[in-house]
């Protein structure tokens, strides 16, 4: 067998001196030459796989099937396949074993013997593809929700407590308790389908479990009513809540790992007439922050917003309802201006993403660390830029305005329907109009619309009746093509996959500032913003631009922006 270093030198053009350095690292610290070459960024994972293929004469498969038949999950422990990075794949067309590292030939023989697959074809595949396929297979191979629900008998919640043995990965949990199986199944399905929230809602004769995907709630399971107390107790134990307290709302959090994702769950309970209602917000800690260009702002809005966030002082407010992406927009803005020569401090509730180079403060009302109290201290920490998670009261608003007037750039959020209403909201809180006029640079309203699934997108010719229902005419549409999603397995037959922002950017120009001194009427402010030099575009208008760009649909824009 030819040495890997020789093959890499020939196929990837890596200098002999570089390979010698990697061999020296191997002698000093151990490890495999291929991994060292990748760590040193001399070759890519794909290069390494191709080199190993040439070395061993084993073909490469770059992509494995999206869903692997889980026929083997009852016979092969998940730990074995993960440790040796291999998986049996059976499709209607062919069967083979995919492995990432050909050195584990003894373990491969053991696997083939257990499955009675002697002589079966072997291929090399990227480690990430194999890990994803293993996780999907064992997730699909778990007890179906219907079977788990049938198994759920009345149990004492205290007995459940003694059975719980937390595992590093929920897919590795082999507990036989039906309630634990159901919770694990519920969480793993929600993570796999990129849900943002899970709702557990008790009613008179049933319990409904729903998940929110791309802003829409979908039914998941309907466990029997007698399983309600077990289900609630299990989640409260995981969130380290008081399971005996059922009369008061509680908040908690759960850190779990499902497959290759670390997920932070914020858990909230609310007593209702038929039992405690639970909502879990899922935050994928392994997801990367979006850049400004990925938010969905079209070119002119992106240029305008980029200029605004580089201002030396003033307030930039982002408004919208809960879950409209306000925090993501602000984090993207901070990431752009985050430089070694700028001191950025935030006060948030909760801290959703950790950003390197930024000091982030978590609000804690139990010790009286509120937004206002945290902000008072932050101002004494010599910041250049301050992010306030949300302006909730007059005290916080006044400190934010004073900070802006004394040379700081302040970012924050408000819960209002549009940009103009944010001014009215501040005045209603008790802020003087002249202070709003002199401190606020711009107000950005935003919503999230679902994107058309790229796998089933197709042209759509609307009828005149359809256009009339959404307030458009054939003349306005002209010859431009719009699209819709047909529905496929990639998008769970919805026609949509993922979301993107639509924006309304109201820059506080001189005309608006003058108007603000005479009125705080949102309708008059909005009218001036649309007619003034800032040329504000409404949320619906920005949505139409994204419809014509083939990004979203007319129904989606009207669903989100309906009056």
């Amino acid at each position: 067998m030819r040495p890997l270093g020789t093959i890499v030198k020939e196929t990837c053009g890596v200098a002999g001196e570089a390979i010698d350095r990697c061999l020296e690292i191997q002698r000093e610290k151990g490890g495999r030459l291929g991994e060292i070459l990748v760590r040193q960024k001399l070759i890519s994972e794909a290069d390494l796989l191709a080199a190993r293929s040439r070395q061993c004469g084993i073909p490469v498969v770059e992509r494995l099937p999206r869903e692997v038949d889980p026929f083997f999950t009852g016979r092969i422990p998940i730990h074995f396949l993960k440790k040796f990075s291999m998986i049996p794949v059976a499709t209607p067309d062919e069967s083979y074993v995919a492995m990432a590292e050909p050195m584990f030939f003894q373990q491969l023989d053991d696997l083939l013997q257990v499955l009675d697959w002697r002589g079966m074809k072997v291929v090399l595949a990227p480690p990430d593809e194999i890990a994803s396929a293993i996780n999907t297979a064992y997730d699909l191979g778990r007890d179906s929700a219907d079977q788990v629900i049938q198994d759920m008998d009345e149990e004492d919640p205290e007995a459940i407590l003694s059975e719980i043995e937390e595992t590093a990965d929920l897919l590795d949990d082999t507990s036989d308790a039906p309630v634990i199986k159901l919770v694990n199944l519920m969480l793993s399905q929600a993570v796999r389908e990129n849900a943002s929230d899970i709702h557990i809602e008790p009613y008179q004769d049933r319990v409904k479990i729903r998940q929110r995907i791309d802003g829409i709630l979908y039914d998941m399971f309907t466990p029997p009513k007698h399983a309600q107390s077990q289900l609630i107790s299990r989640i409260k134990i995981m969130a380290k809540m008081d399971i005996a307290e059922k009369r008061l709302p509680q908040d908690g959090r759960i850190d779990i790992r499902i497959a290759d994702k670390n997920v932070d769950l914020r858990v909230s309970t609310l007593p209702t007439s038929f039992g405690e209602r639970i909502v879990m917000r899922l935050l994928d800690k392994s997801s990367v922050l979006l850049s400004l260009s990925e938010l969905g702002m079209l070119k002119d809005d992106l240029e305008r917003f980029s200029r605004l966030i580089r201002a030396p002082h003033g307030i930039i407010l982002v408004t919208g309802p809960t879950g409209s992406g306000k925090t993501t927009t602000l984090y993207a803005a901070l990431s752009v201006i985050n430089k070694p020569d700028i001191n950025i401090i935030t006060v948030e509730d909760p801290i959703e993403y950790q950003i390197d180079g930024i000091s982030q403060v978590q609000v804690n009302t139990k010790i009286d660390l509120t937004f206002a109290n945290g902000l008072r201290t932050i101002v004494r920490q010599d910041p250049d830029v301050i992010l306030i998670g949300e302006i909730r009261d007059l005290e916080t608003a006044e400190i934010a305005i004073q900070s802006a007037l004394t040379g700081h750039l302040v970012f924050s959020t408000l819960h209002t329907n549009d940009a103009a209403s944010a001014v009215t909201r501040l005045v209603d809180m008790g802020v003087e109009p002249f202070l709003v006029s002199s401190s606020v640079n711009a107000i950005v309203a935003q919503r999230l619309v679902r994107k058309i699934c790229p796998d089933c997108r197709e042209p759509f010719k609307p009828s005149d009746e359809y256009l009339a229902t959404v307030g458009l005419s054939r003349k306005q549409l002209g010859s431009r093509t719009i699209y819709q999603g047909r529905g496929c397995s990639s998008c769970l037959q919805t026609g949509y996959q993922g979301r993107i922002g639509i924006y309304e950017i109201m820059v506080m120009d001189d005309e608006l500032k003058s108007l603000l001194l005479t009125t705080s009427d949102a309708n008059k402010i909005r009218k001036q913003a649309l007619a003034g030099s800032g040329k504000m575009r409404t949320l619906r208008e920005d949505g139409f631009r994204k419809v014509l760009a083939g990004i979203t649909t007319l129904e989606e824009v009207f669903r989100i922006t309906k009056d």
Side-chain angles (χ1 to χ4, degrees), residues 450-468:
R450 291 181 292 173
K451 294 191 293 184
I452 300 170
C453 173
D455 293 341
C456 61
R457 192 181 85 148
E458 60 184 14
F460 168 56
K461 189 170 183 181
S463 65
D464 292 336
E465 294 79 13
Y466 172 83
L467 289 174

Side-chain angles (χ1 to χ4, degrees), residues 5 33 54 57 178 198 211 239 298 308 317 337 401 412 423 426 537:
L33 178 60
R54 289 190 63 171
I198 300 172
Q211 62 181 345
L298 296 178
L308 288 168
L317 290 173
I337 61 175
I401 287 170
S412 191
V423 174
L426 288 172
R537 187 181 295 107

